[in-house]
């Protein structure tokens, strides 16, 4: 698989199959999200909900499969050798663009995982059609406690499995610890969000637009990274 992904690509002379497929899929997923935004704007709540779910699930499956296949060996992560430009351009342009890209990807994923449950909580299905609710949206303190305890329980279970199966579980423990801490933080942020945006419809619309803009910026930064790595400053072997 790794050898196949490293074969010459079809988009740019210096690209690889892995980089080209990854870029094209990023393009397809962003377009799907933006189309689902257009559907929501036209008040087509049900079509918007279906398209968001299909594109989210395929994006997560692709993300896991791709990074597992390449074992994070993306050229961009391999350091200075993968970039054919000068030191100046590398430090002042390439690294800031790549860092912004990674930050936006993380933010986009966190926001999307928050937005999907919010979509269900903030809307009601009347006669097979999704419509946003008009009233306030509050999480019951009991539900809040149950969710936090479930997250804690899942973290403890993963930790126990890691200790049982890995000889040196430190790195994996830190990574899983950070993932579960982020989930707990997002759930806790709900209390603050409830105060700032109390009504269901307004909360979904405002945070949904922010999420869509983040997705669009992810596409801009991934295009810039792709162009710099494989078109403007390709690696000279
Ligand atoms: C990543 C997840 C999601 C994002 C980013 C998102 C984003 C948005 C945005 C931006 C709007 C407002 C459009 C506008 O006026 O500009 C909207 C409306 C809406 N969303 Fe979502 N949404 C998501 C998931 C969901 C889900 C899972 C559901 C349903 C279960 C849902 C149901 C709705 C409904 C019913 C509307 C109102 C459409 C109307 O005006 O009639 N959304 N969404």
């Amino acid at each position: 698989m790794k050898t196949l992904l490293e074969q010459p690509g079809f988009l740019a002379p210096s690209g690889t199959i892995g980089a080209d497929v990854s870029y094209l899929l990023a393009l397809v997923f962003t377009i799907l999200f933006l189309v689902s935004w257009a559907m929501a704007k036209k008040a087509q709540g049900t079509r918007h909900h279906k398209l968001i779910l299909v594109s989210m699930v395929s994006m997560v499956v692709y993300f896991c499969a791709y990074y597992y296949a390449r074992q994070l060996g993306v050229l961009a992560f391999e350091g200075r050798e993968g970039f054919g430009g000068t030191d100046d351009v590398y430090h002042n342009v390439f690294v800031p663009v790549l860092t912004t890209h990674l930050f936006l990807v993380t933010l986009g994923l966190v926001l999307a995982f928050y937005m999907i449950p919010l979509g269900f909580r903030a809307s009601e299905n009347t006669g097979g059609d999704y419509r946003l609710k008009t009233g306030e949206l509050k999480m019951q303190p009991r539900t809040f406690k149950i969710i936090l305890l479930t997250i804690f329980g899942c973290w403890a279970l993963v930790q126990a499995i890691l200790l049982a199966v890995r000889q040196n579980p430190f790195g994996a423990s830190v990574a899983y610890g950070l993932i579960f801490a982020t989930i707990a933080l997002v759930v806790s942020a709900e209390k603050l969000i409830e105060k700032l945006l109390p009504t269901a419809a307004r909360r979904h619309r405002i945070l949904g637009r922010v999420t869509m803009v983040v997705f669009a910026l992810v596409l801009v930064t991934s295009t810039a990274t792709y162009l710099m790595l494989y078109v403007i400053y390709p690696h000279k072997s």
Side-chain angles (χ1 to χ4, degrees):
M1 186 65 175
K2 202 163 186 286
T3 337
L4 172 72
L5 292 174
E6 280 162 3
Q7 296 299 309
F10 44 87
L11 289 179
S14 319
T16 59
I17 294 270
D20 290 2
V21 169
S22 156
Y23 177 67
L24 279 185
L25 284 174
L27 189 71
V28 169
F29 292 131
T30 317
I31 291 173
L32 287 182
F33 281 120
L34 297 179
V35 169
S36 83
W37 184 4
M39 287 171 170
K41 269 198 163 308
K42 285 190 218 147
Q44 299 171 339
T46 308
R47 293 181 74 200
H48 157 76
H49 139 82
K50 283 186 185 151
L51 189 59
I52 285 270
L53 285 190
V54 169
S55 38
M56 251 324 267
V57 171
S58 23
M59 191 175 81
V60 170
V61 169
Y62 146 75
F63 208 69
C64 296
Y66 178 76
Y67 283 102
Y68 178 75
R70 294 195 89 190
Q71 294 175 347
L72 283 178
V74 194
L75 189 54
F77 287 92
E78 281 165 13
R80 180 73 183 85
E81 310 85 66
F83 183 77
T86 61
D87 280 348
D88 201 33
V89 178
Y90 179 74
H91 291 295
N92 296 324
V93 183
F94 182 71
V95 173
V97 170
L98 181 62
T99 314
T100 312
H101 175 66
L102 296 177
F103 170 75
L104 288 170
V105 168
T106 316
L107 183 67
L109 277 177
V110 171
L111 280 170
F113 277 109
Y114 173 79
M115 282 306 297
I116 289 190
L118 179 66
F120 286 100
R121 291 170 60 221
S123 55
E124 53 199 353
N125 193 330
T126 39
D129 221 15
Y130 280 96
R131 299 236 165 273
L132 289 177
K133 292 177 191 161
T134 41
E136 286 200 354
L137 183 67
K138 267 203 159 76
M139 196 188 274
Q140 296 298 321
R142 200 178 118 77
T143 318
F144 186 65
K145 270 189 213 141
I146 293 175
I147 295 178
L148 282 185
L149 282 175
T150 311
I151 296 169
F152 182 76
C154 293
W155 169 77
L157 185 70
V158 169
Q159 194 61 25
I161 295 173
L162 282 177
L163 287 171
V165 300
R166 290 245 177 139
Q167 283 201 327
N168 181 7
F170 182 73
S173 290
V174 172
Y176 279 108
L178 281 175
I179 292 173
F180 282 107
T182 310
I183 299 174
L185 206 74
V186 173
V187 174
S188 313
E190 175 67 3
K191 286 283 151 204
L192 177 69
I193 298 171
E194 275 176 6
K195 286 210 171 65
L196 297 174
L197 298 166
T199 52
R202 204 168 122 76
R203 193 184 309 167
H204 188 81
R205 279 185 206 284
I206 292 191
L207 295 180
R209 284 174 198 166
V210 171
T211 310
M212 292 299 189
V213 170
V214 170
F215 287 156
L217 290 176
V218 165
L219 185 64
V220 172
T221 50
S222 61
T223 306
T225 311
Y226 181 91
L227 286 177
M228 278 193 272
L229 278 173
Y230 303 107
V231 180
I232 309 173
Y233 306 109
H235 169 55
K236 296 174 191 81
S237 48

